Amino acid sequence: MVDVALQQMEAMLRALMSTDNAVRNQAEEALAQARQAPDSLFSALIAMLRSNQDEQVRSLAAVLLRKEIIRLLAQSADAQGVTVSTQVKALLKSELLACIEQEPQRSIRKKASDVVGQLAINIMSNDPSGWPELFPWMLEGTRSTNVPLHEAALAIFNTLSEFIAEKMAAHHGMLLDVFRSSLQAQQELSVRNAALRALASFLMALSEPSQRVPFQELVPLMLQTISDALARGMEDECREALEVFVEVAESQTKFLKRHLAECVTGMIAIASNTSLDDSLRHLALEFLLTIAEGAPTLARKMPRFCADTVPVALAMMLELECDTAQELQEWEDEDEDEEDTEVTNYDVGEEALDRLAIALGGKAMMPVLFGIIQEWFPSDDWKKRHAALMAISQSGEGCEAQMAKQLEPIVTTIVTRFGDAHPRVRWAAINTIGQMSTDFGPQLQAKLHSCVLPALVSAMDDGCKRVKAHAAAAVINFCEHCERKTLRPYLQGLLGKLMQLLSTNQRRGQEQAGTAGGAGGGAGAPPPFS
């Protein structure tokens, strides 16, 4: 009978993996029926996990074990006693730990560790002494030279972090020792990353800031994990560690305070290193942005935070691919509504400036940002001119009060770039005026209409059709916040130019010209740059 039950279980697991919907649906019905006899179900699943030769079958058995434990054992203490016998629970405990010790596949060990963690939560939440062998086994694993066992023990600590934080306060010192030893340089990076994940979960589970203080000594070891991963060229391990740092920065910024300067220095080095994978640089910059947003006062008090972070974001905005005539033509022909949705370094840098300006404010941002902008504006490198213009556009919301005081010289300087030699720079200048017309309207319109409107009208004669259409779009933004009496002297020339655009066979220009004509005539339209 036992062999028959195992054969049926294996057949069901294989059917659940079938690409045939009918076969899979039938298997799901069989699983629902098997739940009526939980002892048999758990016994068969653990047997599949422990003895089946097919990795896919063992993997699915582990997944189902976890799901069924959640389904049956998370309900109540009474449900545990009624639905699963003491003998089967004992079988699960011993066989799962044996599986972790003996399973050759890392992914399956990870799944088995998740099952152990879920089983432990459900058992020990009702009876803290219900699995007395588990914590000694986990501690022994963290002291072992067996890397897979050490990693698995930390994964279980990760799953149990909330339980340990709430119900095992007397043992927090022991956990500090575990993390300290697991983060040492001689440990494998997989072990150190497992310790990082468990530590992050534990820190978030602690209810009192004072409980986190003893663990602050671990931050240098956490940082060293990233450095060592980079030094060894192990980018996946570095990525995992950076993700943990971002997670900690989001939820526990104050935990990092004592070592924040070292963290910031390290992240700036990674974010600015163009030889690294883009995802690593993005994560490092995300850490810096998270600190700025989560602890802006702390960031502003750091002597070099703004001065070092802003150039990183600006440098990413130089990473544009438009160096050949063919690439420029592709950009001109590109439909702005259907642009590539892939996130580029330029996109990341642009968003970073916006977030930094809002988080840190104009008093901190303006001196740093405009110092670089003034240096880049006259550059022979069109990418620097482009980035300088777009930086003004992106920082307007956060630096509004400070920029408003210098609105005329800023706008006048931007308008000079309507005649730039490079079409992308002309587009950026027009884009920035369009955005500022929204951000600083109606003051900009009232004070600077004589500078802006004639320049936009002229830009609608640009030799680049994308620039030409963008000038019409900027008119929409300008008119949205402009009084009719201010517009009246310009209407004849403006509407005449828009009629010319409407008569072309360029769809983008026609659409923007039609909307701009409505806005200029008083009909109004939603601003495209807002």
Side-chain angles (χ1 to χ4, degrees), residues 96-113:
L96 283 169
L97 296 184
C99 173
I100 293 171
E101 292 173 350
Q102 299 168 16
E103 170 60 50
Q105 294 301 318
R106 184 171 185 256
S107 62
I108 299 176
R109 286 198 305 273
K110 176 64 173 66
K111 290 182 175 68
S113 300

Side-chain angles (χ1 to χ4, degrees), residues 172-211:
H172 289 181
M174 170 272 296
L175 195 55
L176 175 59
D177 292 337
V178 167
F179 289 141
R180 186 190 296 114
S181 64
S182 299
L183 287 168
Q184 295 299 319
Q186 67 266 27
Q187 301 286 3
E188 291 290 332
L189 280 169
S190 62
V191 168
R192 294 160 75 180
N193 273 341
L196 284 179
R197 290 190 293 272
L199 174 58
S201 297
F202 177 71
L203 292 173
M204 286 185 280
L206 291 171
S207 57
E208 296 297 328
S210 60
Q211 294 177 306

Side-chain angles (χ1 to χ4, degrees), residues 10-181:
E10 181 174 359
M12 185 182 73
L13 292 175
R14 293 190 183 281
L16 287 170
M17 294 185 284
S18 173
T19 56
D20 186 319
N21 288 337
V23 172
R24 195 167 58 252
N25 290 338
Q26 190 173 15
E28 288 170 356
E29 291 176 5
L31 176 60
Q33 183 65 34
R35 291 187 185 115
Q36 304 306 310
D39 273 8
S40 298
L41 174 61
F42 280 114
S43 298
L45 283 173
I46 197 69
M48 288 293 101
L49 175 62
R50 294 289 286 123
S51 62
N52 198 277
Q53 297 301 305
D54 190 326
E55 292 175 15
Q56 289 185 316
V57 170
R58 297 203 305 277
S59 180
L60 181 56
V63 170
L64 288 180
L65 273 169
R66 182 174 180 272
K67 288 183 177 179
E68 296 306 317
I69 286 170
I70 292 172
R71 180 188 298 274
L72 292 175
L73 301 182
Q75 296 173 11
S76 67
D78 179 64
Q80 288 183 38
V82 170
T83 58
V84 181
S85 68
T86 302
Q87 292 84 353
V88 170
K89 281 193 283 187
L91 176 70
L92 288 172
K93 293 175 188 178
S94 62
E95 287 298 297
L96 283 169
L97 296 184
C99 173
I100 293 171
E101 292 173 350
Q102 299 168 16
E103 170 60 50
Q105 294 301 318
R106 184 171 185 256
S107 62
I108 299 176
R109 286 198 305 273
K110 176 64 173 66
K111 290 182 175 68
S113 300
D114 292 340
V115 180
V116 168
Q118 190 60 55
L119 181 62
I121 288 170
N122 286 282
I123 290 175
M124 295 190 297
S125 293
N126 297 292
D127 178 10
S129 60
W131 197 345
E133 307 89 358
L134 180 60
F135 279 102
W137 181 91
M138 291 164 62
L139 287 173
E140 186 63 29
T142 63
R143 295 164 183 159
S144 171
T145 56
N146 183 325
V147 171
L149 189 59
H150 195 161
E151 189 179 351
L154 289 167
I156 299 170
F157 272 117
N158 185 15
T159 304
L160 294 177
S161 56
E162 187 172 337
F163 176 85
I164 297 171
E166 292 179 358
K167 299 188 178 182
M168 298 183 66
H171 298 283
H172 289 181
M174 170 272 296
L175 195 55
L176 175 59
D177 292 337
V178 167
F179 289 141
R180 186 190 296 114
S181 64

